[in-house]
Amino acid sequence: MSQGSNIFATLPPTKLFFRCAIPAATMSVFGALYSVADGIFVGRFLGEDALAAVNLITPIVLIAEALSSMVATGASVNIAMLLGRGDREAASRLFSFAVKAIIAFSCMIGMMGLLFARQFVTLIAPGASEETIRFAVEYLMVYSAFAPLIPVYFATDDFLRDCGKGRFGMVVGIATQAANVIADFILIAVLHQGVVAAAASSCVAIAAGSVITLFAFRKRRLDLCYVQGRPPARQLARIVANGSSELFGSIAASVMSVITNLFLLRYGGTPAVAAFSIVMYVDSIIGMLAFGVCDALQPAISYCCGAKLYGRMRAIFSRVLVATVAVAVASFLFMFLVGPQAAVLFVKPGEEELLALSVVGVELFSFSYLVGWIDLCFSSYFTALDRPVRSLVVSVSGVLVFPIAFIALLTPHFGLNGIWLSATVSGIASGLFTLTLAKTLKPDLARADDPEVSRRGCGSGSSKLQPYG
């Protein structure tokens, strides 16, 4: 095997953690900063309606990318396991199929967006102003035109990490995001173009990144390359099963976003939707950092699972836990102390109501970081171990079931503040539920070094406990 994925088995766990986590976390933070810069340009130069429009489009984009995310995540886990077993040819077949499937899904999604943009927007935003709806339709039309090359960009980043090439993905990601910010500045701040320009600058930059990363897998220069043939049906079924947590998690997040927008429109109107958008922009800076750490080590855990290096697998995950707890505490402090000042950057001068709503939202939302890391860590861990049911349950309950329950319970008593508080309260309930699921897995992992258990697979316990998750 070429130098690349074998680092998952050879580097000391702490060194491997930093080798994988630093590029992924850096790329995630830069991605968040690009998103923040995009929000600043839209909010300050285009105003409240445009900012609300971008927030309304977010759930549609998440749903549009859900199928591609399912294929990418499910394939990435199984590819890493195959590489851990030394079967590079089978891993490349699976990789090649995944890329083709993602591009095919993306083309279908783009066509639907072009044909039904206004219907989608009006369906999810009853009560929004006509100007907001117009902006949202324009944004969605541009995204749909570039859809074939957008989801594959995020998928190839996963596949580069499978090959141990996270640093290359980081360089491409930073370059892509920097190009996006420069384009935003020129088109929006200098040339005073509208929402279409904001959407186009993002889409063109991401499409360029897709082309670069797709070319990187040619000519067997990496552990994965383009080959002919289709993976076995059983392997395809595992892709769907393990990627289902990403699919339904994305759908659940989109549904929750729509529901949240409905509550925001009911209790605060368009300014409340725009304020929530600002909270999410500030959140993205630090939320993506924790996500980057968990996501970066997923290929290493899957590789060790496939190679039956169970003690090493547990050692890697313990470092992920320590890092995400540290990030969670730092995120809370940043969001609570600095977030209100950062909110000012997104508000057009004179929109005092929007600023006041945003400051309160940022302060109340910040407490959710103290508990939000639990679902993130363990959902990623279950996915890496090819335990799709557990990952799916954690994902859907954390982003949809508990949030819906608590937003419905809190808003009648606290109004708009109940929406901000629901993130923390639902995070506590979901975190306790997730830790209960994790506790039932630990005894089986503790016995995984037994040769009989090793023959059954990663994290397996006695036969009476099979199958689970």
Side-chain angles (χ1 to χ4, degrees), residues 385-410:
L385 297 182
D386 201 14
R387 293 291 180 261
V389 173
R390 289 173 185 262
S391 181
L392 175 61
V393 169
V394 169
S395 182
V396 173
S397 64
V399 301
L400 183 63
V401 178
F402 288 109
I404 284 180
F406 285 104
I407 202 172
L409 287 172
L410 294 175

Side-chain angles (χ1 to χ4, degrees), residues 119-359:
Q119 290 89 328
F120 285 142
V121 172
T122 53
L123 178 66
I124 65 171
S129 67
E130 184 58 35
E131 188 75 355
T132 299
I133 291 176
R134 181 175 68 83
F135 283 148
V137 171
E138 290 176 354
Y139 197 102
L140 182 56
M141 290 287 286
V142 175
Y143 174 86
S144 299
F146 285 89
L149 282 175
I150 293 179
V152 73
Y153 168 76
F154 303 103
T156 51
D157 183 59
D158 289 342
F159 300 143
L160 285 170
R161 285 200 296 269
D162 283 337
C163 298
K165 300 298 181 182
R167 291 177 180 175
F168 174 71
M170 177 190 71
V171 172
V172 174
I174 292 175
T176 298
Q177 292 144 12
N180 193 349
V181 172
I182 293 171
D184 269 344
F185 174 76
I186 294 172
L187 293 175
I188 299 175
V190 177
L191 300 180
H192 303 291
Q193 300 300 303
V195 168
V196 171
S201 61
S202 299
C203 291
V204 170
I206 293 174
S210 296
V211 173
I212 293 171
T213 52
L214 286 171
F215 268 90
F217 292 97
R218 297 189 310 151
K219 298 181 180 179
R220 298 185 178 270
R221 290 173 293 189
L222 302 177
D223 287 344
L224 299 175
C225 60
Y226 301 114
V227 297
Q228 297 296 322
R230 197 179 75 172
R234 181 185 175 190
Q235 207 168 63
L236 297 180
R238 293 308 302 171
I239 290 178
V240 174
N242 209 28
S244 62
S245 63
E246 293 294 320
L247 171 64
F248 291 106
S250 295
I251 293 174
S254 301
V255 172
M256 190 60 215
S257 183
V258 171
I259 292 171
T260 301
N261 284 332
L262 292 175
F263 274 90
L264 289 165
L265 287 168
R266 177 181 177 183
Y267 286 95
T270 299
V273 177
F276 184 73
S277 180
I278 291 173
V279 173
M280 291 299 98
Y281 276 124
V282 178
D283 163 72
S284 67
I285 301 174
I286 44 190
M288 287 301 293
L289 179 60
F291 174 80
V293 170
C294 294
D295 200 41
L297 274 300
Q298 184 175 298
I301 293 172
S302 298
Y303 183 101
C304 292
C305 181
K308 303 189 188 307
L309 303 173
Y310 302 117
R312 182 178 176 83
M313 180 182 74
R314 292 192 295 271
I316 293 170
F317 183 60
S318 68
R319 285 155 177 79
V320 173
L321 285 176
V322 171
T324 49
V325 170
V327 169
V329 174
S331 299
F332 162 70
L333 294 174
F334 174 87
M335 192 76 156
F336 188 80
L337 298 175
V338 182
Q341 285 73 39
V344 177
L345 299 173
F346 299 88
V347 180
K348 195 174 183 178
E351 294 182 343
E352 298 302 327
E353 179 187 5
L354 175 58
L355 179 59
L357 289 174
S358 302
V359 169

